[in-house]
Amino acid sequence: MDSSSGTLPEFDYLFKLLLIGDSGVGKSSLLLSFTYDTFEDLSPTIGVDFKVKHVTVGEKKLKLAIWDTAGQERFRTLTSSYYRGAQGVIMVYDVTRRETFTNLSDIWAKEFNLYSTNQDCIKMLVGNIVDKDSERVVSKKEGIDFGREYGCLFIECSAKTRVNVEQCFDELVLKILETPSLLAEGSAVVKRNIFKQKPPESNASTSSCC
């Protein structure tokens, strides 16, 4: 997949992607790694952050609107509305912190089922921070099993070393492109402009780690 972060004048499809998961699992670092090819240790997101990435798959030009949500409970009522219209949701946990994995089923999968408006929305499960493999407490098999149970794609990656970061988004986007209902929605989504839904001005340019 060829990509660039610059503004391109045209695109064939506009896809809305959402990052969810506990605070501190590296959601914002993953997004930064993917959109700008850099890594930063970031402070927690306040509310919602937003970035755009242009990619080309085959002959199709795609515009990805990627929403990075805060993991803290106090922001849940705010972030719940951002599930609306998403074609892809990335559920992130930290392989070195078991509670972040447990909360996927206890909190995040339930929230997805409650707020997602698209029954064909593609889910990607991401085990992050594999660069600290010596501190790992969640096995890869557990991630695979969770993915099978909840119907998610699954990958392990590291925002810090960029291992599998590109592949994570590539696989998600390719799956969306293979799903007729999401493809149709992506081409028509320009008409209703998902960019009307913007984060609060004070947070619009905030970058963070979770």
Side-chain angles (χ1 to χ4, degrees):
M1 183 187 290
D2 298 322
S3 58
S4 71
S5 297
T7 302
L8 301 180
E10 297 176 359
F11 52 89
D12 298 301
Y13 296 101
L14 171 59
F15 295 143
K16 178 181 178 181
L17 309 180
L18 192 68
L19 285 154
I20 62 174
D22 280 11
S23 180
V25 296
K27 298 188 296 295
S28 300
S29 295
L30 280 171
L31 181 54
L32 192 67
S33 182
F34 176 61
T35 52
Y36 295 112
D37 299 337
T38 61
F39 172 77
E40 289 181 32
D41 237 343
L42 303 161
S43 56
T45 300
I46 307 300
V48 179
D49 192 18
F50 170 81
K51 285 184 172 51
V52 170
K53 176 86 167 181
H54 292 272
V55 301
T56 302
V57 180
E59 298 180 353
K60 299 297 183 185
K61 293 180 180 178
L62 312 179
K63 186 173 187 175
L64 307 180
I66 311 171
W67 297 83
D68 174 21
T69 64
Q72 298 97 321
E73 188 172 358
R74 68 181 184 274
F75 293 118
R76 296 270 164 75
T77 52
L78 169 67
T79 58
S80 61
S81 64
Y82 289 89
Y83 286 82
R84 192 176 303 118
Q87 285 96 1
V89 172
I90 300 174
M91 303 168 65
V92 186
Y93 66 96
D94 176 352
V95 300
T96 72
R97 293 164 55 208
R98 177 157 294 278
E99 72 275 11
T100 67
F101 181 73
T102 304
N103 285 341
L104 291 175
S105 54
D106 291 349
I107 297 172
W108 300 107
K110 291 176 182 176
E111 202 169 269
F112 172 86
N113 290 332
L114 189 61
Y115 298 118
S116 176
T117 58
N118 197 325
Q119 63 177 6
D120 294 325
C121 181
I122 306 300
K123 292 173 289 194
M124 167 68 82
L125 176 65
V126 174
N128 191 30
I129 318 187
V130 293
D131 50 283
K132 295 185 178 179
D133 199 60
S134 62
E135 300 173 34
R136 175 195 286 271
V137 294
V138 182
S139 69
K140 187 172 185 177
K141 183 181 183 303
E142 288 177 285
I144 293 170
D145 290 345
F146 182 98
R148 284 176 179 157
E149 182 179 352
Y150 287 89
C152 308
L153 300 171
F154 171 69
I155 197 167
E156 289 190 336
C157 56
S158 166
K160 187 172 185 177
T161 63
R162 303 202 70 246
V163 168
N164 285 342
V165 171
E166 194 88 30
Q167 187 179 344
C168 163
F169 287 89
D170 283 1
E171 288 187 12
L172 179 61
V173 168
L174 287 170
K175 191 69 175 178
I176 292 172
L177 286 168
E178 292 170 3
T179 307
S181 64
L182 300 181
L183 204 57
E185 192 178 73
S187 60
V189 79
V190 184
K191 296 175 183 176
R192 62 177 193 273
N193 192 359
I194 66 169
F195 289 102
K196 289 177 181 175
Q197 186 183 48
K198 291 184 177 178
E201 195 147 320
S202 61
N203 302 326
S205 60
T206 302
S207 289
S208 51
C209 96
C210 28

